[in-house]
Amino acid sequence: MDSLTQKIREIASNILKEGRVDMVIGFAKGTIPMTTKPYMARTPEQVENFIWDKNCTLNLANYITGRKEKIGIIAKGCDSRNIVNHIVENKISRDQLYIIGVPCSGMADKHNPDELRDNCATCTHRNPVIFDVMAAEPVEEQKIDDPFADVKAVEAMDKDAKWSYFEGLLQNCIRCYACRNACPLCYCPTCFVDESGPQWVGKGQNKTDIQTFHFLRAFHCAGRCTDCGACEAACPMDIHVRAFTRKLNKDSLELFGWEAGLDITKRPPLDTFNPDDPNDFIK
Amino acid sequence: MANLFEHIGMEKERLQFSWISSAEAGKFTNVATEVANTIEALGPIDKFVKKTD
Ligand code: SF4
Ligand code: SF4
């Protein structure tokens, strides 16, 4: 057994035995090869189901929203950043959590197991930013010259090319909302697409309704998205959902010098007013 | 928001912001005319339009 898996099980089992937490959230083997599923262990015996490999692609911060128990959670770099978001947004309190940090060297692409998945290839926060204990020594962070090359390529297109690019991107979306459900940011009790009075968006497979869903969902993630890739990991239709959020991540960085989920003492830029905020869009 | 608009191929100018006090009648008419003129120059939108037929 892989030493990281062993270490995770050991820590998880100890904190459960000591009664420090009521449950530990981690990954267990999925039902088909090369997949994992989120798993909550409530007893030291259940800890034996935890695994750690290249397929832990979901974001476990998604499963702590609004919970009342004391929770142990296994966190790679991006999960830890979404945990920070959750603390800042009052979805959980820091003292409810015991964070088992796992340095991550990137998760595998779901179709190309020998390669890193897209978001991991440009990740610069592989080590957890917040933790109570680390399961291993930190890994070296990647140095990426141009993390937003893909966004820039779209920015360089003319407006019709951009539109057809995004139209093409979404044409296979079946609107199952798996992306939204897997995203730790999407925790609203009733999502705007599910509202019926007023009904903001049509419910069917109308192309414009699908586009509206993606466009607005992305905007709700502005300044909050950690590029964890859970949305794409969950999508059954291989939609490049991050094409939208990455543009917003790039803007957040350029306009506000902001990367989401790095510091529990800072509010996200769209939530605060600062006299230096760029405001040349106001006439 | 305007940046994301532009990113998917819509004209950024369709979304404009202004801060006008209730005492600034002159500014209000100027901005309103300017908005109307820019939008008129852009013409009707052909993207992101829901067609019901
Ligand atoms: S998970 Fe994929 S198919 Fe489902 S709504 Fe999201 S983008 Fe569309
Ligand atoms: S929108 Fe961002 S934070 Fe949400 S699942 Fe996708 S990459 Fe992660």
Side-chain angles (χ1 to χ4, degrees):
Chain A
M1 192 201 325
D2 160 63
S3 67
L4 211 47
T5 303
Q6 190 130 35
K7 187 77 190 159
I8 289 171
R9 289 183 189 176
E10 185 188 311
I11 301 172
S13 149
N14 285 343
I15 55 175
L16 279 168
K17 277 187 200 142
E18 289 162 11
R20 291 175 88 138
V21 296
D22 304 316
M23 63 175 183
V24 180
I25 307 181
F27 289 98
K29 215 168 168 23
T31 44
I32 47 174
M34 298 201 314
T35 57
T36 58
K37 59 182 178 192
Y39 182 78
M40 296 178 183
R42 290 178 187 272
T43 62
E45 294 73 49
Q46 289 174 341
V47 158
E48 294 308 309
N49 291 320
F50 281 145
I51 55 151
W52 187 264
D53 62 15
K54 289 267 176 205
N55 305 307
C56 299
T57 48
L58 287 178
N59 189 325
L60 297 179
N62 194 29
Y63 308 99
I64 58 174
T65 315
R67 295 202 79 103
K68 303 282 176 261
E69 306 98 320
K70 284 193 144 264
I71 300 173
I73 180 167
I74 292 154
K76 52 189 182 295
C78 47
D79 305 50
S80 77
R81 292 174 62 195
N82 280 94
I83 294 174
V84 169
N85 274 342
H86 262 53
I87 297 172
V88 171
E89 295 174 5
N90 293 325
K91 288 294 138 198
I92 192 106
S93 75
R94 176 68 184 93
D95 35 314
Q96 260 174 286
L97 296 175
Y98 188 87
I99 305 168
I100 307 168
V102 181
C104 171
S105 37
M107 292 296 149
D109 186 277
K110 58 177 161 177
H111 303 296
N112 235 334
D114 296 331
E115 288 189 16
L116 284 187
R117 61 174 174 164
D118 192 56
N119 62 314
C120 297
T122 53
C123 169
T124 52
H125 299 282
R126 293 177 144 186
N127 293 300
V129 297
I130 186 173
F131 55 86
D132 292 292
V133 65
M134 285 285 276
E137 289 299 313
V139 290
E140 196 182 331
E141 294 289 359
Q142 306 189 95
K143 294 209 174 29
I144 312 283
D145 291 336
D146 192 1
F148 290 110
D150 54 332
V151 184
K152 287 184 187 155
V154 178
E155 283 170 348
M157 295 179 188
D158 72 26
K159 64 179 178 159
D160 293 323
K162 284 178 182 166
W163 181 249
S164 34
Y165 171 70
F166 283 110
E167 243 184 352
L169 217 60
L170 296 179
Q171 69 185 2
N172 291 332
C173 171
I174 54 171
R175 238 176 139 184
C176 62
Y177 299 143
C179 49
R180 175 198 69 185
N181 290 8
C183 176
L185 306 174
C186 286
Y187 53 63
C188 293
T190 310
C191 176
F192 72 100
V193 293
D194 296 327
E195 293 264 12
S196 53
Q199 185 182 314
W200 308 106
V201 203
K203 310 276 187 199
Q205 277 301 98
N206 175 286
K207 178 175 106 180
T208 312
D209 289 330
I210 296 180
Q211 288 159 351
T212 307
F213 159 58
H214 283 280
F215 188 72
L216 284 179
R217 191 192 86 87
F219 203 69
H220 292 172
C221 301
R224 304 166 65 223
C225 172
T226 59
D227 210 25
C228 68
C231 45
E232 293 187 355
C235 178
M237 302 303 290
D238 275 335
I239 312 279
H240 182 27
V241 188
R242 289 165 43 250
F244 296 87
T245 46
R246 280 182 59 71
K247 163 66 177 164
L248 293 161
N249 292 357
K250 175 170 178 281
D251 284 353
S252 300
L253 188 63
E254 285 171 1
L255 298 171
F256 304 101
W258 173 264
E259 284 183 286
L262 296 184
D263 186 343
I264 55 168
T265 64
K266 293 209 177 85
R267 307 281 319 171
L270 295 190
D271 186 51
T272 43
F273 172 73
N274 186 326
D276 314 326
D277 282 348
N279 60 2
D280 45 353
F281 64 95
I282 298 181
K283 290 215 177 75
Chain B
M1 182 99 195
N3 284 355
L4 192 60
F5 248 53
E6 193 175 38
H7 200 58
I8 62 165
M10 302 219 291
E11 298 85 358
K12 197 175 185 160
E13 296 74 23
R14 293 191 189 272
L15 189 64
Q16 302 189 24
F17 297 86
S18 187
W19 184 278
I20 310 173
S21 140
S22 56
E24 295 177 307
K27 185 170 176 192
F28 180 78
T29 46
N30 288 345
V31 171
T33 323
E34 206 186 311
V35 172
N37 290 343
T38 8
I39 303 293
E40 220 163 276
L42 287 171
I45 193 161
D46 53 353
K47 307 182 174 82
F48 228 144
V49 182
K50 183 167 176 178
K51 298 201 177 65
T52 40
D53 44 25

